[in-house]
């Protein structure tokens, strides 16, 4: 294998839903792996087909809110996101990723009942689009003790995700979807 050992720990991959989501879902399905997809309000409104597929295949759906959005507060984005999710899937989520938010914004979302994810590793500055990117990420993950959450944002494609899932499996790690209680 890769020589990296993660000894049956859980890796919680967090991805931003977007143009590559269908291909990423194909890879996750083929490798019997799960991830959490964080969706903007627009994605939640427009991609009911993918939201239903995520729900049916054990992926987690979270709301991606941006505190820097001049047109809507974080609370409004979270409420609108859940309304759109309920229309598409008859379900709601408490899982949220708030970008550009300070502690006060995060606390307000928590007070409103949301589980705000603050990932252990933020990889938005690094693409996950090749096997070398995947092995670099696996090395970062292996440096953590215990379970680890990784924010990939919109940087992953099917090739990179497949390479990472294979490498993580070789190292005895498992990729699971974050849940509202994890």
């Amino acid at each position: 294998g890769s020589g990296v050992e993660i000894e049956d720990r859980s890796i919680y991959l967090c991805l931003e839903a977007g143009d590559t989501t269908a291909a990423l879902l194909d890879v996750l399905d083929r490798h019997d792996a799960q991830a959490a997809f964080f969706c903007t309000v627009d994605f939640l409104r427009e991609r009911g087909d993918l939201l239903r597929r995520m729900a049916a295949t054990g992926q987690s759906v979270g709301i991606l809110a941006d505190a820097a959005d001049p047109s809507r507060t974080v609370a409004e984005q979270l409420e609108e996101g859940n309304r759109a999710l309920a229309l598409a899937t008859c379900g709601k989520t408490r899982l949220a990723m708030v970008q550009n938010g300070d502690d006060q914004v995060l606390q307000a979302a928590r007070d409103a009942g949301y589980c705000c994810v603050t990932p252990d590793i933020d990889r938005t500055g690094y693409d996950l689009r090749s096997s070398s990117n995947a092995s670099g990420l696996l090395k970062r993950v292996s440096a953590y003790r215990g379970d680890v959450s990784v924010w990939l944002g919109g940087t992953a494609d099917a090739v990179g995700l497949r390479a990472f899932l294979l490498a993580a499996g070789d190292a005895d790690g498992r990729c699971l979807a974050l849940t509202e209680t994890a």
Side-chain angles (χ1 to χ4, degrees):
S2 59
V4 175
E5 182 61 52
I6 45 184
E7 295 159 11
D8 210 32
R9 287 187 278 146
S10 296
I11 304 161
Y12 297 100
L13 296 178
C14 301
L15 300 154
E16 182 175 344
D19 294 340
T20 61
T21 299
L24 295 173
L25 287 168
D26 290 344
V27 171
L28 289 164
D29 289 348
R30 268 198 297 282
H31 292 274
D32 196 26
Q34 282 82 37
F37 285 86
F38 289 86
C39 309
T40 63
V41 172
D42 290 342
F43 186 94
L44 289 162
R45 279 198 195 113
E46 297 162 10
R47 298 308 311 262
D49 56 330
L50 287 175
L51 295 171
R52 287 184 289 279
R53 181 176 170 194
M54 288 174 202
T57 57
Q59 311 304 330
S60 290
V61 175
I63 300 169
L64 183 62
D66 187 352
D69 183 332
S71 62
R72 301 177 283 215
T73 66
V74 167
E76 289 168 340
Q77 292 172 67
L78 295 172
E79 289 168 23
E80 286 179 47
N82 258 327
R83 275 197 299 277
L85 183 60
L87 282 173
T89 68
C90 297
K92 288 189 172 190
T93 185
R94 292 182 7 209
L95 210 53
M97 176 81 66
V98 179
Q99 296 179 316
N100 303 307
D102 59 18
D103 291 341
Q104 210 172 357
V105 170
L106 289 172
Q107 191 56 51
R110 287 187 191 103
D111 291 345
Y114 288 89
C115 174
C116 295
V117 176
T118 49
D120 299 313
I121 300 175
D122 183 340
R123 294 293 284 187
T124 46
Y126 304 86
D127 286 346
L128 180 57
R129 299 186 194 281
S130 69
S131 54
S132 63
N133 296 149
S135 69
L137 174 56
L138 193 64
K139 284 186 181 104
R140 287 287 311 275
V141 166
S142 69
Y144 270 79
R145 301 211 183 284
D147 297 343
V148 60
S149 58
V150 181
W151 173 244
L152 295 171
T155 67
D157 70 7
V159 171
L161 182 61
R162 185 182 322 56
F164 179 77
L165 292 174
L166 288 168
D170 285 348
D172 291 328
R174 57 189 186 280
C175 293
L176 301 172
L178 265 180
T179 62
E180 297 166 6
T181 56

